[in-house]
Amino acid sequence: MTATRSTRFPGEVVAPGKGGVGESPLRPDGTLKVKGEFAYSSDLWMDGMLWGTTLRSPYPRARILSINIAPALAISGVHAVLTHEEVPGRKVYGLDHTWDQPVLAIDEVRHQGEPIALVAADHPEIARRAMAAIEIEWEVLEPITDPVAVVDDPDNHRVQERGGIARHQPVRVGDIEVGRALSDVVVSGKYDVGIQDQAFLGPESGLVVPAEDGGLDFYVATQWMHNDLSQIGPCLKLPDDKIRMTLAGVGGAFGGREDLSMQIHAGMLAMYTGKPIKMVYNREESFFGHVHRHPAQMWYEYGATREGKFTFAKVKIILDGGAYTSATLNVTGNASSLALGPYEVPHLEIDAYGVYTNNPPCGAMRGFGAVQACFAHESMMDKLADALGMDPVLVRQINAVSQGSKLATGQELHAPTPLREMLGQLREMPLPEPLDANDIRNLPGGASQTTHGEGVVRGVGYGVGIKNICFSEGFDDYSTARVRLEVIAGEPVALVHTAAAEVGQGLVTVEAQIARTELGIERVTIHPADNGVGDAGSSSASRQTYMTGGAVKTACEAVRARVLDLAAAQGYQEAANLVGGKVVSHTGEVLAAIVDVLDEGVVEETRIYQHKPTTGMDPVTGQGNSHTQLAVCVHRAVVDVDTELGLVKVVSLDAVQDVGKIMNRLSLEGQIHGGSVQGLGLAVMEEIQVTDGKVRNPSFTDYLIPTILDTPTQKLEILENADPHAPYGLRGAGEPPTLSSTPAVVSAIRNACRAAGGSGDLTRVPVRPGDIISSC
């Protein structure tokens, strides 16, 4: 039996050709993906497997009075129907040991789509029919959907027993009344961010296979298999050594696979039936089967001198986390610590709240709390510039942080942070020429031919974002790598083994580049990611190149040292490095071939890499060195706006980003382009629309994401100011462009509306056509 239709297991790839750190070798999985030959988790297959499905709640809040599974069990081909009563162990799970999310609903459902029962059948259609046959008697309750009401009166707005507020994180510096007295200008605004979905193309799916030892083999698409393991084991009542996890092909993630989806459910069905279980969500179920970006309501007040220097800031942020905790605690911490962006403010008062409601569950998504704050603080920078009659770029430069500056939390920026210069570079980039209006695709509305140029106005806007890299607030963040060097077919070959999830970001490419650079060889194989090696942490927080890259580098250094010791023992006392498959001296003189030094021997080393420690935020003042690294990106957007119909064409979305070290330019540019377009989506189209706790648009027909026709040209300036604490001096790069692109696009739309004589008062994303019409 085989667990995949591919000739090569997902993740087991041989990196082709040359290409060390700083070069751009092709992705080893790229050709397979382009040709449609890569095996994703939804492609997994095993003889004799059953199909699993999940019955989900149609209500955002209701009590379950009774469940009758007999009609489902009576259907031919159905092997199992399970409820919470069949959960073998702990009945709840959750990220970061919060343990508040039921495996299957027990007495009450707290959000639409909450899992209630599981079905295993011979065919997915049979499973779906059985699922529909389950009879449930409900007592429908009034949902709690207003996060502001929860903050104002948490005791009377309890979604679950632990209370209404998951976390309140204040940040305090100085005295804002002193700052207010120093102010020549005071501006304020309220800003809202809707619910954005990760919208990954590969739905939640996987295969779980019972093993002869009573354990289970999991083949799943995830972002952090060791964290999955820590939740799966207690719920299935299995020790860790009875759960073997292998990363299946991941069709995108963006934070949406940090929480469990089908893992425990498929495990329960596999244990109960003794057969392999495959589960694949359809697109609608996927919208209910993973968390989304926290919607936010934010109140800001800024003071400044007439010269444009900040005097104070007062901020209140409310993040709606839905029914269960997920990543809300950490998202709230990020939002509070980065609420003011990369600017120096002497007096400040910030309050960030993460709350529980019966709205859709929210957790990790690219940008993780900083995206919401960035839209607000950049909108306020434009508002402050307008009040001062000052250039919006200049206002940002006047208040910009630099190396040695302190953030709102008191954390000092230890690495170069040339924000003023970056903004200057961005402003000096040539602006795009007017688009050819004879080509209808160049106009707002495109091929729909809504306009031929009438009422179209161009606008320009800027956005600045700062994002923490790696885990924060004292989390024990580390990654493990095992590197093996041996001679195969007369060549030195390295095998790199980590548990890090390749989710499309190109990590397997970078791992191979590092091994080539550190070991001076060409052939590198990437072992399938599994839990047969130590924890690598999550593929999130822009951390894997930093952390797992650091682990691979450290393990390779240990392997290299042992090879040099072998060479010295063989008489090559001047052995100093490995280059081009050779052992060389300090002067570069070739002493021996690596294959001759190794002969038939094998050198293998496992290393754990950790970044410099962080601290928690003070619960009263918010002060602390809570972040490992900060990365900055700045955007300039140029848009054409049909002021009569409220349609937008984003013409260009240029960026300057400091990445510390370019590891792979091709992949890096892809990350910046992708992150920028994801931010564009939040700016003008992406939103899960919810009414009274119910999702109105759980499909790609009604939830819109940018396509190639919506994607503008992008000029990039990529800087390399090394972080002295990071491997190769690199900075995480995947998330920062998602922050700054959203406010840049909205700023450009405002600019166009004002050029048309309107107010340009746009305070919510995504911006809707009606918003544009009313503000133009």
Side-chain angles (χ1 to χ4, degrees):
M1 293 191 298
T2 177
T4 174
R5 65 177 174 83
S6 175
T7 56
R8 180 179 294 144
F9 195 88
E12 188 176 358
V13 290
V14 179
K18 298 179 180 179
V21 170
E23 300 180 70
S24 293
L26 295 178
R27 294 189 179 199
D29 54 349
T31 301
L32 294 171
K33 289 178 176 178
V34 170
K35 294 173 69 176
E37 297 174 355
F38 184 82
Y40 289 96
S41 57
S42 56
D43 296 317
L44 298 172
W45 187 275
M46 181 168 280
D47 292 340
M49 73 181 189
L50 302 177
W51 293 81
T53 59
T54 307
L55 177 65
R56 297 177 180 274
S57 169
Y59 305 110
R61 188 183 184 201
R63 289 193 183 93
I64 300 172
L65 303 180
S66 67
I67 300 179
N68 181 14
I69 64 174
L73 286 170
I75 296 175
S76 177
V78 172
H79 291 251
V81 180
L82 308 181
T83 67
H84 74 89
E85 294 178 353
E86 283 75 45
V87 176
R90 186 183 290 219
K91 292 181 182 288
V92 291
Y93 65 94
L95 287 178
D96 300 328
H97 308 291
T98 50
W99 303 106
D100 65 345
Q101 189 158 347
V103 174
L104 294 168
I106 300 172
D107 299 311
E108 182 178 341
V109 293
R110 295 180 176 86
H111 67 87
Q112 184 188 19
E114 182 157 352
I116 300 167
L118 308 172
V119 174
D122 291 330
H123 190 276
E125 286 300 327
I126 297 174
R128 279 190 279 271
R129 285 203 302 271
M131 186 177 69
I134 297 172
E135 299 173 350
I136 301 179
E137 184 182 359
W138 299 97
E139 180 188 352
V140 179
L141 304 174
E142 185 73 21
I144 295 171
T145 59
D146 183 359
V148 176
V150 175
V151 172
D152 291 342
D153 187 7
D155 290 336
N156 290 314
H157 293 83
R158 286 176 176 263
V159 170
Q160 53 169 302
E161 291 182 0
R162 64 178 58 197
I165 298 176
R167 180 177 182 181
H168 168 215
Q169 180 58 61
V171 181
R172 301 286 188 269
V173 174
D175 185 336
I176 63 168
E177 294 308 320
V178 171
R180 195 183 299 275
L182 298 172
S183 302
D184 297 310
V185 171
V186 175
V187 294
S188 62
K190 179 182 182 294
Y191 302 95
D192 297 274
V193 175
I195 304 176
Q196 187 179 24
D197 188 69
Q198 294 85 352
F200 41 71
L201 297 186
E204 292 82 350
S205 51
L207 180 69
V208 180
V209 184
E212 292 182 358
D213 66 353
L216 296 172
D217 293 310
F218 285 77
Y219 303 93
V220 294
T222 180
Q223 290 180 243
W224 188 357
M225 65 182 68
H226 279 81
N227 196 50
D228 288 3
L229 177 65
S230 70
Q231 300 171 77
I232 294 169
C235 292
L236 296 183
K237 210 172 183 178
L238 287 175
D240 287 356
D241 62 359
K242 295 291 187 181
I243 299 176
R244 291 163 291 274
M245 302 193 71
T246 301
L247 184 72
V250 182
F254 310 114
R257 300 188 201 269
E258 282 197 43
D259 293 75
L260 296 179
S261 57
M262 47 66 63
Q263 289 94 321
I264 298 175
H265 296 163
M268 285 177 59
L269 291 171
M271 292 177 69
Y272 189 88
T273 63
K275 292 179 177 290
I277 298 292
K278 178 174 180 175
M279 296 188 79
V280 181
Y281 291 179
N282 61 28
R283 182 56 59 190
E284 179 173 330
E285 185 175 15
S286 181
F287 271 92
F288 294 108
H290 64 256
V291 296
H292 317 288
R293 187 185 301 288
H294 289 71
Q297 298 182 57
M298 300 169 286
W299 295 261
Y300 274 64
E301 184 182 19
Y302 281 177
T305 65
R306 61 177 54 90
E307 292 78 24
K309 192 69 176 173
F310 268 132
T311 51
F312 80 91
K314 184 175 183 179
V315 174
K316 181 180 180 181
I317 297 173
I318 298 179
L319 300 158
D320 184 350
Y324 303 110
T325 306
S326 183
T328 294
L329 304 179
N330 299 319
V331 169
T332 305
N334 267 17
S336 61
S337 64
L338 302 175
L340 302 179
Y343 305 110
E344 295 179 326
V345 183
H347 304 280
L348 57 92
E349 181 179 301
I350 300 167
D351 288 281
Y353 299 86
V355 305
Y356 299 108
T357 68
N358 295 117
N359 290 320
C362 293
M365 185 177 171
R366 192 179 198 167
F368 204 81
V371 162
Q372 296 89 328
C374 186
F375 170 61
H377 68 62
E378 288 306 284
S379 297
M380 286 295 291
M381 295 305 287
D382 283 350
K383 197 163 196 173
L384 183 61
D386 288 341
L388 291 166
M390 189 176 288
D391 179 81
V393 172
L394 180 59
V395 169
R396 289 169 168 86
Q397 289 176 315
I398 288 171
N399 293 287
V401 296
S402 59
Q403 188 171 12
S405 294
K406 290 184 178 181
L407 296 178
T409 58
Q411 179 159 3
E412 183 174 322
L413 298 175
H414 61 262
T417 311
L419 178 53
R420 295 183 183 90
E421 294 80 1
M422 293 169 69
L423 283 162
Q425 284 180 266
L426 184 66
R427 183 163 49 184
E428 293 304 313
M429 283 187 185
L431 287 164
E433 296 294 327
L435 298 177
D436 180 8
N438 292 319
D439 186 340
I440 199 73
R441 294 172 298 178
N442 290 332
L443 296 173
S448 299
Q449 298 199 58
T450 56
T451 180
H452 289 270
E454 311 91 341
V456 174
V457 179
R458 176 157 289 188
V460 179
Y462 292 85
V464 177
I466 185 168
K467 176 66 176 64
N468 62 305
I469 305 301
C470 300
F471 296 148
S472 301
E473 297 194 62
F475 190 93
D476 184 16
D477 193 2
Y478 66 91
S479 183
T480 312
R482 181 180 300 141
V483 176
R484 176 186 177 99
L485 184 63
E486 61 187 318
V487 178
I488 300 176
E491 291 187 65
V493 179
L495 176 67
V496 177
H497 187 186
T498 77
E502 168 63 67
V503 297
Q505 81 276 43
L507 177 65
V508 293
T509 315
V510 171
E511 288 179 338
Q513 289 178 256
I514 292 171
R516 292 192 195 102
T517 295
E518 299 301 327
L519 298 177
I521 61 173
E522 182 175 329
R523 290 183 58 193
V524 179
T525 300
I526 306 300
H527 190 288
D530 59 28
N531 67 333
V533 67
D535 195 351
S538 176
S539 288
S540 61
S542 303
R543 62 177 291 282
Q544 283 294 10
T545 300
Y546 190 127
M547 297 303 298
T548 297
V552 172
K553 181 176 186 291
T554 305
C556 285
E557 290 169 345
V559 168
R560 183 177 65 213
R562 283 188 55 190
V563 174
L564 295 176
D565 287 343
L566 287 173
Q570 294 171 22
Y572 303 109
Q573 300 297 331
E574 297 180 358
N577 204 357
L578 307 180
V579 179
K582 309 295 183 182
V583 179
V584 301
S585 67
H586 285 289
T587 61
E589 177 188 359
V590 175
L591 304 177
I594 293 175
V595 294
D596 294 331
V597 172
L598 287 176
D599 194 15
E600 296 183 2
V602 174
V603 177
E604 182 177 285
E605 293 289 341
T606 301
R607 290 292 184 273
I608 294 175
Y609 180 82
Q610 292 179 289
H611 58 63
K612 64 186 182 69
T614 59
T615 65
M617 297 176 67
D618 185 278
V620 176
T621 67
Q623 299 302 289
N625 292 313
S626 58
H627 299 310
T628 305
Q629 185 188 68
L630 284 303
V632 175
C633 181
V634 297
H635 271 93
R636 182 188 67 194
V638 177
V639 304
D640 285 341
V641 179
D642 187 324
T643 58
E644 297 172 355
L645 297 178
L647 302 178
V648 177
K649 169 75 174 181
V650 181
V651 176
S652 69
L653 194 53
D654 304 326
V656 179
Q657 184 166 338
D658 190 344
V659 302
K661 168 68 177 177
I662 298 174
M663 301 291 286
N664 181 313
R665 179 175 285 272
L666 188 62
S667 288
L668 172 64
E669 290 178 352
Q671 284 285 292
I672 297 174
H673 285 306
S676 299
V677 172
Q678 205 159 29
L680 180 158
L682 177 60
V684 295
M685 63 180 71
E686 292 191 45
E687 182 179 14
I688 294 178
Q689 297 180 27
V690 179
T691 302
D692 297 328
K694 289 191 174 184
V695 176
R696 297 165 53 197
N697 58 333
S699 73
F700 282 168
T701 300
D702 300 308
Y703 180 92
L704 303 180
I705 57 176
T707 69
I708 190 65
L709 295 178
D710 302 297
T711 303
T713 59
Q714 274 196 276
K715 293 188 286 288
L716 303 180
E717 290 285 347
I718 301 175
L719 310 183
E720 296 185 272
N721 293 295
D723 182 338
H725 298 287
Y728 302 108
L730 67 86
R731 299 175 195 259
E735 291 176 287
T738 308
L739 275 66
S740 49
S741 56
T742 298
V745 170
V746 179
S747 176
I749 297 172
R750 287 195 196 101
N751 182 251
C753 286
R754 286 168 184 158
S759 67
D761 190 21
L762 299 171
T763 61
R764 186 187 187 280
V765 288
V767 177
R768 297 167 177 168
D771 302 330
I772 294 173
I773 293 170
S774 63
S775 64
C776 284

